[in-house]
Amino acid sequence: MNILEKLTILTDAAKFDVSCSSSGSNRKNKSGGLGNGHLSGICHSWSEDGRCISLLKILFTNACIYDCKYCINRSSNDVKRVAFTPREVADLTMNFYKRNYIEGLFLSSGIIKNPDYTMEMLIETARILRLEYNFNGYIHMKAIPGASYDLVRNMGHLVDRMSINVELPTDESLKLLAPQKKTSEIENSMAVAKNSIIQRKNEIKVYKHTPKFLPAGQTTQMIIGANKESDLEIMSRSQNLYQNFDLKRVFYSAFVPVVKSDLTKDIDRVPLLREHRLYQADWLMRFYDFNAEDLVNSSKQNLDLDLDPKTSWAVDHIDKFPIEINKASYKDLMKIPGIGRVSARKIINARKYRMLDYDNLKALNISTKRAKNFILVKGKYWGSKFSNKKELRMRMSLSDNKSHEQLSFL
Ligand code: SF4
């Protein structure tokens, strides 16, 4: 099989992996036009310094000895199997890079023979790129749980970012849908990556030439809705992962029934709006000082689909509002719907010079539309009247849906 045929199969097989974001769309080229958004293969990610970069996104092989019930590449699925060699992937990367198509590589793989062998193939690819071809572009690779810790460390010295996928939010779901994978192996590999990052940070203080180790950190991916897990279970797992393994990101992938399986046959495609709400809640945990339990709990196990998680939290805690904009701390300002980190900083800075009035907020480009029901400005309330949480929730939901009615997540 020629390299182009392999590339077609192995870029398509990689498209369900979301841990490096977008991967093609439905737009095809027209006669006389330029470009084709349809083919998978190039995706976008963010480098260590925050730049958006294009990556060649492929699988090393779609031949996998595991049989995860949700995966198109599972061993029992009848699809054509192909594999690259490490040098083929390295050559493709260099050729695409020299033509300016990409700025890096995202490489994942099915499990060939066993986790160690697969990791050796991936590491060899990175070795050729870094040491033979002197490639200094961005490399993001999947580490294979269950591989030896030395191999995890070797990979970490060659690539910028490593993902070790937890796959599913709970241990029970993993046992049911990906029985060959073990939570302990996944988390042990994550711990090795985390500890090596810490060790490198300490060593660099003493030895200036300490080699880099995962400069863009580690991430993971979780499929949501494949076993009807609640958002409470999902958010609690993410919180645990952020706290214990210093992950840069948890990526959520709404379950898509791409293969027939007895265990998933009654589960529909998960609405993308749910995935979107989880990303919003995840953002609040990482940057807005929210805990998973603030957003979901035993009496409210799923995020509200009609309202974004911060507005939903504010409505549920309306007794903490309205907050006087001229006195609130940075932390409290960030809890107000419609006020983000940038707006909160603008308010704090502007307050150094004068007491703010309502028009000042508009002049600072702060969206008062959502915030007005939760704030006082110089003691005055500018929001609508409501008699209970239910009424406020309905009002906020109507205005939210009106302003976003062009979006279709379902
Ligand atoms: S290990 Fe599981 S999820 Fe990964 S490629 Fe193989 S079958 Fe798919």
Side-chain angles (χ1 to χ4, degrees):
M1 184 179 291
N2 71 35
I3 199 88
L4 192 61
E5 285 169 309
K6 283 190 190 179
L7 190 61
T8 306
I9 293 171
L10 292 172
T11 52
D12 194 57
K15 72 183 176 195
F16 295 102
D17 198 316
V18 296
S19 42
C20 75
S21 306
S22 73
S23 186
S25 74
N26 287 327
R27 191 192 306 270
K28 291 184 181 162
N29 195 11
K30 294 183 206 146
S31 158
L34 186 71
N36 181 347
H38 177 68
L39 290 174
S40 21
I42 310 282
C43 75
H44 296 95
S45 189
W46 283 265
S47 65
E48 187 194 359
D49 58 7
R51 280 176 309 123
C52 179
I53 51 175
S54 318
L55 303 178
L56 171 63
K57 177 179 173 181
I58 47 176
L59 288 189
F60 187 84
T61 179
N62 66 344
C64 187
I65 57 167
Y66 286 7
D67 201 37
C68 306
K69 307 297 177 216
Y70 47 82
C71 178
I72 198 159
N73 303 315
R74 56 188 278 202
S75 58
S76 60
N77 199 27
D78 185 17
V79 290
K80 197 170 192 175
R81 308 288 175 168
V82 287
F84 284 121
T85 64
R87 194 160 298 276
E88 282 173 340
V89 177
D91 286 344
L92 272 173
T93 308
M94 292 305 287
N95 286 331
F96 274 54
Y97 190 85
K98 283 176 186 163
R99 285 175 174 79
N100 228 1
Y101 298 161
I102 55 158
E103 289 158 281
L105 169 70
F106 173 86
L107 186 63
S108 182
S109 181
I111 318 284
I112 328 156
K113 291 187 189 173
N114 56 53
D116 275 356
Y117 182 80
T118 313
M119 280 289 274
E120 281 162 12
M121 291 296 105
L122 300 178
I123 291 168
E124 175 60 7
T125 308
R127 189 200 64 76
I128 296 171
L129 278 166
R130 290 286 193 236
L131 305 182
E132 285 189 33
Y133 296 167
N134 209 12
F135 177 71
N136 285 305
Y138 184 86
I139 303 179
H140 178 168
M141 278 191 186
K142 282 291 167 72
I144 311 296
S148 87
Y149 301 151
D150 278 346
L151 291 172
V152 175
R153 281 188 279 264
N154 288 349
M155 181 182 274
H157 282 297
L158 292 164
V159 305
D160 297 276
R161 174 169 279 187
M162 181 190 283
S163 299
I164 304 163
N165 285 354
V166 292
E167 306 288 3
L168 294 152
T170 65
D171 214 14
E172 299 75 61
S173 302
L174 194 73
K175 279 185 190 138
L176 191 69
L177 300 176
Q180 287 130 316
K181 298 190 173 179
K182 310 249 170 322
T183 302
S184 57
E185 288 180 349
I186 295 166
E187 295 195 346
N188 287 345
S189 299
M190 284 180 170
V192 170
K194 176 194 162 187
N195 292 336
S196 303
I197 292 171
I198 295 172
Q199 187 183 341
R200 197 259 173 188
K201 273 187 191 150
N202 291 332
E203 285 175 1
I204 195 83
K205 291 177 194 155
V206 185
Y207 309 108
K208 181 162 99 177
H209 298 296
T210 305
K212 281 185 186 294
F213 190 91
L214 296 182
Q218 61 166 331
T219 62
T220 195
Q221 173 181 319
M222 202 188 283
I223 297 163
I224 55 164
N227 195 27
K228 301 192 174 160
E229 301 90 352
S230 67
D231 291 344
L232 173 61
E233 287 170 300
I234 296 168
M235 296 308 301
S236 305
R237 183 72 196 278
S238 298
Q239 181 165 281
N240 175 289
L241 291 168
Y242 283 126
Q243 286 172 350
N244 293 329
F245 303 105
D246 280 349
L247 297 190
K248 289 279 184 195
R249 290 287 301 273
V250 175
F251 289 91
Y252 304 94
S253 173
F255 173 70
V256 183
V258 280
V259 275
K260 286 196 171 70
S261 149
D262 282 352
L263 293 168
T264 56
K265 69 178 181 334
D266 297 329
I267 299 179
D268 292 333
R269 188 185 180 116
V270 172
L272 284 179
L273 181 55
R274 184 178 178 201
E275 183 186 287
H276 178 64
R277 292 290 184 237
L278 283 165
Y279 273 113
Q280 289 177 316
D282 184 279
W283 185 262
L284 293 179
M285 284 203 306
R286 287 187 293 138
F287 300 113
Y288 284 75
D289 214 21
F290 278 87
N291 287 317
E293 309 79 57
D294 295 328
L295 304 168
V296 272
N297 51 54
S298 53
S299 53
K300 182 188 172 188
Q301 301 210 359
N302 289 305
L303 294 165
D304 199 334
L305 291 185
D306 290 330
L307 283 182
D308 69 86
K310 191 159 92 167
T311 305
S312 183
W313 174 85
V315 172
D316 286 344
H317 296 83
I318 195 62
D319 48 306
K320 295 183 190 289
F321 298 94
I323 292 177
E324 170 57 57
I325 220 85
N326 282 294
K327 292 187 184 151
S329 65
Y330 175 68
K331 207 168 145 187
D332 284 345
L333 285 171
M334 288 204 308
K335 303 264 175 186
I336 299 169
I339 296 185
R341 292 187 299 167
V342 175
S343 302
R345 233 173 273 128
K346 278 191 204 166
I347 291 171
I348 299 272
N349 284 338
R351 274 187 346 203
K352 288 180 192 157
Y353 305 100
R354 56 176 298 181
M355 288 270 280
L356 302 179
D357 56 33
Y358 199 66
D359 286 339
N360 293 143
L361 294 182
K362 289 187 176 165
L364 288 170
N365 271 336
I366 289 166
S367 160
T368 47
K369 194 171 157 229
R370 242 183 304 164
K372 68 181 181 187
N373 291 317
F374 302 91
I375 57 173
L376 294 175
V377 188
K378 286 190 180 166
K380 185 171 171 191
Y381 178 68
W382 290 79
S384 354
K385 289 205 170 85
F386 55 90
S387 43
N388 53 41
K389 286 181 191 176
K390 201 171 158 198
E391 199 183 323
L392 176 61
R393 179 172 292 279
M394 210 158 66
R395 228 178 255 279
M396 296 302 297
S397 157
L398 281 176
S399 81
D400 219 32
N401 289 337
K402 228 187 219 164
S403 58
H404 295 105
E405 64 196 1
Q406 79 278 16
L407 293 176
S408 171
F409 292 108
L410 292 166

